[in-house]
Amino acid sequence: MHFDPDPGWHVYWKNPGQSGVATEVLLEGLSFGAIQWPAPERFEAPGPIVTYGYHDTVLYADAPAPAETAHIKADVDFLVCEVDCIPARVLLEADVDPRAESSAIRAAATRIPALTDNLVLEGRWPARGETTQATLRCREGACAFDPDHFFPERVVGLDIRPAAASGSLTLHLGASSDVREQALRGVVQVGEHWREFDLSMEPAARGTTSPRLPSLSSFGLALLFAFLGGLILNLMPCVLPVLTIKILGVLRLAETPARARHHGWAYAFGVVASMIALAGIVLAFRAGGQELGWGFHLQEPRFVGFLAALLTVLALGLFGVFHLQVGGSALAARVDASDGLSRSVGEGVLAVILATPCSAPLLGTAVGYALAQPAHVVIVIFAAVGAGLAAPFVLLVYVPPLMRRVPKPGPWMTVLERLLGFSLLGAAVWLVWIYGQTTGVNGMAILLALLLALTFGVWTVARGGRRGWVVAAPIVAAAGWMLWTVAPQTGDPHDEWRAWEESAVQAELDAGRSALVVFTADWCVTCKVNERFVLHSDEVERELSDTAVFVADWTLRDDRIRAELARYGRAGVPLTLVYHPSAPERPLVLPELLSKDDVLTALRPAS
C-alpha cells in the first residue's frame, strides 16, 4: 500500500502514540504476512501530544511477494492528519505483477528496521499505580541513542517516556494496570541505523560485584569500600600521569616539611572537592531523568580532546620547552617565593578527572551502591573515594621518616622530569585512542593536528613572548575549532548508501526515482569535504529522502569504477552524478567541489 500525503499531512505507524489510528490493511486473494513497517517519525502537537507516523511517501509492504501475477483486493482503513484529521476507508482492486513491483518493494525494504539481538532491557516492570525506571543498552559496548527516535509498540496500561543517558536509554515506566512479565517491542535508532527489538525485562546490573565479597548491607561497609577503592586507584594506570607530577612535588618540598603539609592538604582538597562536584553532576542529571555512570565525562569526545591537549602541554613543560617545572635551586627558590597551593589544588582536580575512568577493586561495588541511594549518600560515598585517593600523599608529608627517605633536589631531577614527560605523552596517546573510538580515524587525525598546532604554539610563545602569541593564537584557535566540530561517529557514513551497480541505478530510474551516484575514496580529501559539509548536511539529506543514493568506493583498485570515471573524462575522484528518470542516459555532472546549492538544484526534476 503506497501512500503519498500532501505536504503537512501524515499517516500513522502501528502504534500511533497518544492520538491517531494505525493504518490497517485487509487483503483478499492471497495469503500474506504481517505488514513490514518502515521506521516512523515523531510528531508533537500542542499539549504536547506525541504521535508516530509518516509525513512523506511511505510504502507498507507484505512479504513474500507473489510468484506470479495475482488479482488482489484490499480493504484499507486509515487516518490522515494535518491540523484536522480525516478518517478514510477505501476498497481497492489490482492485478499485481511482482516483476513490476519488485524495485519499489526493494526500495521500501531499505527503510525497514532489522531485528537485532544486541540490545538488552534492564530493570523491572512497575506494579499498578507505580513508576519505575528501566535501561535500554547494547550488550556489547556503549551505543548512541536518541529518545526522539525510540518507538515502542503499545503495551496496555503502560506509559513509556524515554530520556537520554550516556551510552544507553533510560525508560520511565508508569503503570495504570498490572503489566508484569510482558515483552517490550518496537524500533529504535542505534547510531545511524534503525533496529527492531523484542525484549523481556532483565534484572538491572549495579556496579561490579566480586563473588567473594559480602553484599553491601550497610552504609558503613559502603563507606569503607569507597575509601579503600579510592586508595587502590593510586595504583591504576589512569592516575599515573598525575602521580608523576606529585613525585616532583614531593622532591621539591622534601627540605620544607611545613610547606609540604600545606601542599598535601591543598592536593587533598582538590581531590575531595572534585569528587563532590562529580557527585553533584550525577545528581543533577538524575533529577533531569538521566542516569550517568562512573567515568561518564570521558564519554564526551570534546572533553577527551581537551585532556589530551592538557597532558601534551604539561609534557612540554617537563621537556623544558617552557618552565612549568624546573629543577634544583631555582625550583626551591620559586617555592620559597610562593606557596603555590592553587597548583596543588589543580593537581588534585586533574587526578580525579584522570582517575575516574578506572574501576579499582571494591570501587565498583561502592559506587554501584551509592547510585541507587538518596542524594546525601551519593555525596558522602564520592567524598570517601576522594579521601582514599588523596590519603597516600597526605600520609607521606606527615610521616618524617618517609620524607627523609626522599632524595634531595639536584641536577638529576632534570633527567627525571624528561622521563616523566614521556609518561604524560603515553597518557595522551591513550586519550587519543579513546577519542578515535568515538569519532573515527578522521576525528583522531584532527585531534593529532590540534596537538601538533598546540605544540607549535607553545614553542612559539616560549621563544617569542608576546610576538609568539600573534603567530600561535590563530593556528591553535583554528585547530581547536575543527576539534569542536567533530561529531561522534555512530557508524560508517556510507552505511545508508547502496553500493554502486549500473543495474541497480537503472532499476531505480525504471521505477521512476532519481538517483545520486557518488564516486569517492577514503584517501580523497575533497571527497570527505563534500560528504561531511554538503551531502550529509541537513538540507541535502532532507532533499535526498526521495532519491536513491549510491556510492562507488574507489579506496581500493576497481577497474569498473576506473572505466566509469574515464567515461566522463575523469582520471580520479571525486565525481558526483545525478540521474533523473526523464533523461536516464544524460546524468548531470556536478563540480568536483560541491556546494549545497549545486546538489539541491540538480535534484530538482526541472533541472
Side-chain angles (χ1 to χ4, degrees), residues 38-51:
E41 305 165 72
R42 176 188 175 96
F43 303 101
E44 268 193 27
I49 301 297
V50 178
T51 59

Side-chain angles (χ1 to χ4, degrees), residues 56 88 102 107 149 163 178 194 224 226 236 262 298 306 313 331 334 344 367-369 398 453 468 505 527 539 594-595:
D56 58 355
S102 60
H149 294 162
D178 192 356
W194 285 97
L224 176 62
M236 296 293 105
H262 294 160
L298 287 193
F306 167 76
V313 171
L331 182 60
R334 181 168 295 185
S344 289
V367 173
Y369 170 87
Y398 267 90
V505 175
C527 301
E539 303 96 311
L594 297 177
S595 70

Side-chain angles (χ1 to χ4, degrees), residues 36-40 54 56-61 63 101-115 187-189 192-196 494-499 504 507-508 513-514 544-550:
Q36 298 183 19
W37 298 83
Y54 312 92
D56 58 355
T57 298
V58 61
L59 187 144
Y60 301 92
E101 298 297 324
S102 60
S103 62
I105 293 176
R106 284 198 302 269
T110 63
R111 299 179 60 182
I112 297 172
L115 185 63
V187 298
V188 63
Q189 190 173 19
E192 295 296 323
H193 305 283
W194 285 97
R195 296 291 183 253
E196 181 182 0
H494 297 158
D495 281 351
E496 298 302 319
W497 297 352
R498 295 163 59 185
E508 293 295 334
R513 294 186 72 199
S514 299
L544 287 174
S545 60
D546 293 326
T547 302
V549 183
F550 297 88

Side-chain angles (χ1 to χ4, degrees), residues 120-280:
V120 61
L121 182 66
E122 294 179 337
R124 67 179 182 87
W125 295 111
R128 183 191 301 268
E130 185 185 19
T131 299
T132 62
Q133 287 188 5
T135 300
L136 182 69
R137 64 172 180 83
C138 287
R139 293 186 184 276
E140 298 179 4
C143 291
F145 294 98
D146 184 343
D148 288 340
H149 294 162
F150 169 80
F151 302 98
E153 293 186 24
R154 178 169 288 169
V155 178
V156 177
L158 183 68
D159 176 58
I160 305 173
R161 291 182 293 110
S166 181
S168 63
L169 196 65
T170 298
L171 305 180
H172 298 270
L173 309 176
S176 57
S177 61
D178 192 356
V179 295
R180 294 181 181 178
E181 305 301 325
Q182 294 197 34
L184 186 64
R185 303 178 181 87
V187 298
V188 63
Q189 190 173 19
V190 183
E192 295 296 323
H193 305 283
W194 285 97
R195 296 291 183 253
E196 181 182 0
F197 58 85
D198 185 349
L199 302 172
S200 298
M201 189 75 77
E202 299 181 11
R206 290 203 176 272
T208 305
T209 305
S210 169
R212 292 180 290 180
L213 295 176
S215 62
L216 289 174
S217 57
S218 70
F219 172 71
L221 189 58
L223 205 61
L224 176 62
F225 280 15
F227 181 83
L228 294 176
L231 193 66
I232 298 172
L233 267 183
N234 286 282
L235 303 177
M236 296 293 105
C238 304
V239 192
L240 290 179
V242 180
L243 292 184
T244 62
I245 299 174
K246 293 315 298 175
I247 288 171
L248 292 175
V250 171
L251 292 172
R252 75 189 185 194
L253 296 171
E255 297 180 341
T256 54
R259 207 180 300 276
R261 288 193 287 271
H262 294 160
H263 279 270
W265 283 112
Y267 174 75
F269 173 80
V271 170
V272 175
S274 299
M275 290 302 306
I276 293 175
L278 281 179

Side-chain angles (χ1 to χ4, degrees), residues 46 48 88 107 197 200 221 278 321 339 341 396 485 493 531 563 590:
F197 58 85
S200 298
L221 189 58
L278 281 179
V321 175
D339 282 347
L341 297 181
L396 177 63
T485 60
E531 292 170 21
L590 303 189

